[in-house]
């Protein structure tokens, strides 16, 4: 008993002396000390808190927009803003390209991940469902085919941020995107009995560079995208359908050279309700393939061009600060076409968005 009392008194005396003579020495119950690192800035030791780690990564995130509602956005026009580090979303699309003789239901699955340093990585894995009927097939016959199309990769680099979301003439957000397509869709050894319905890609490696612009002017948003796509030469067989969706190749082992492809799109968006991301859009989209390839000389694939106009609607539900789902629907209507079929395109999309610590969706 006397030994126990002595130990207790010694223990109390130790902490009394420590607090009087050495008040800066931490005990096990004290919070971690803050010590300078090699650069002179403080860091937590031995462990960093969540707030400390958030501060370290905050420099990687783009500036927070004072008005940046969570919407589905346009279908063909990209946005110049990148996702912050820690934020990502999964967005399946559905485009049904319908003309009098064919239906091509394209369902690209988009995964976008914020990388930090104003960079974003996007990948698109498309599923394709083709149907063809007369006059491309004999009377009374049709064919359908399902499979994977060409895979698309994109790296987006944001150059500027929106200067002021309340001033129309303030600096817009501007970005560059570098795109690459892999011919993962079937394009060779086509079955004549499928009447080209089993063609799921154009068989070319493609490289593209785009300029993207986006300007907020509450409650409106304006989008613009212009770019050029270089399509590498490829060898195709009989029954291959060229990019103009009309002409078929009739030459075995044909060395195909496509012309340069000009891509342009823009959209006007009116956000009616910021909390629900409800609004409508009016979008234009066009392509023009020339008779000349930038790197591979004269093209032997037929040139074409078209312009579409697309009214669209959008809404967000459910939504909170960590997770939200946006829905969009519309239809692209033909305005002009040259050596291209008259095509009507119903469209739909849903975005599953996971907001990171620096995200601004749903605000």
């Amino acid at each position: 008993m006397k030994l126990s009392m002595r130990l207790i008194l010694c223990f109390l005396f130790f902490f009394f002396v420590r607090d009087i003579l050495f008040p800066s020495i931490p005990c096990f119950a004290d919070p971690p000390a803050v010590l300078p690192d090699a650069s002179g800035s403080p860091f937590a030791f031995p462990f960093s808190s969540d707030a400390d780690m958030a501060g370290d990564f905050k420099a990687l995130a783009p500036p927070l927009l004072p008005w940046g509602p969570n919407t589905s956005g346009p279908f063909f026009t990209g946005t110049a803003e990148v996702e912050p580090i820690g934020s990502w979303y999964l967005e399946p699309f559905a485009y049904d390209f319908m003309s009098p003789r064919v239906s091509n239901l394209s369902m690209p699955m988009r995964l976008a991940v914020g990388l930090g340093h104003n960079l974003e990585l996007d990948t698109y894995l498309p599923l394709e469902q083709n149907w063809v009927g007369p006059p491309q097939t004999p009377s009374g016959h049709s064919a359908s085919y399902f499979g994977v199309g060409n895979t698309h990769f994109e790296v987006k680099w944001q150059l500027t941020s929106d200067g002021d979301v309340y001033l129309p003439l303030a600096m817009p957000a501007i970005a560059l995107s570098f795109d690459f397509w892999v011919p993962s869709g079937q394009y060779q050894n086509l079955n004549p009995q499928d009447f080209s319905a089993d063609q799921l890609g154009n068989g070319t490696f493609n490289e593209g560079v785009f300029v993207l612009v986006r300007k907020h002017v509450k409650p409106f948003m304006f989008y613009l995208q212009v770019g050029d796509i270089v399509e590498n030469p490829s060898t195709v067989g009989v029954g291959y359908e060229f990019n103009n969706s009309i002409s078929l190749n009739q030459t075995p082992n044909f060395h195909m050279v496509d012309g340069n492809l000009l891509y342009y799109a823009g959209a006007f968006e009116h956000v009616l309700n910021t909390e629900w991301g409800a609004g409508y859009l009016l979008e234009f989209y066009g392509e023009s393939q020339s008779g000349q390839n930038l790197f591979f000389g004269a093209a032997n694939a037929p040139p074409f061009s078209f312009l579409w106009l697309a009214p669209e609607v959008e809404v967000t539900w459910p939504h909170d600060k960590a997770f939200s789902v946006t829905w969009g629907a519309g239809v692209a209507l033909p305005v002009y076409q040259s050596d291209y079929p008259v095509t009507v395109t119903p469209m739909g999309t849903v975005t599953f968005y996971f907001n990171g610590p620096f995200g601004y969706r749903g605000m």
Side-chain angles (χ1 to χ4, degrees), residues 40 257 269 301 304 326 345:
V257 180
E269 181 178 19
F304 68 90
T326 63
T345 309

Side-chain angles (χ1 to χ4, degrees), residues 309-322:
L309 192 63
E312 300 154 9
V313 294
E314 59 189 358
V315 68
T316 299
W317 182 89
H319 64 100
D320 56 40
K321 291 184 178 180

Side-chain angles (χ1 to χ4, degrees), residues 90-93 107-111 123-127 152 352:
L90 183 68
E91 184 175 18
F93 291 92
M107 297 168 284
M109 181 79 68
R110 176 184 188 179
L111 176 64
T123 61
Y124 301 77
L125 180 64
L127 301 176
H152 177 191
F352 304 95

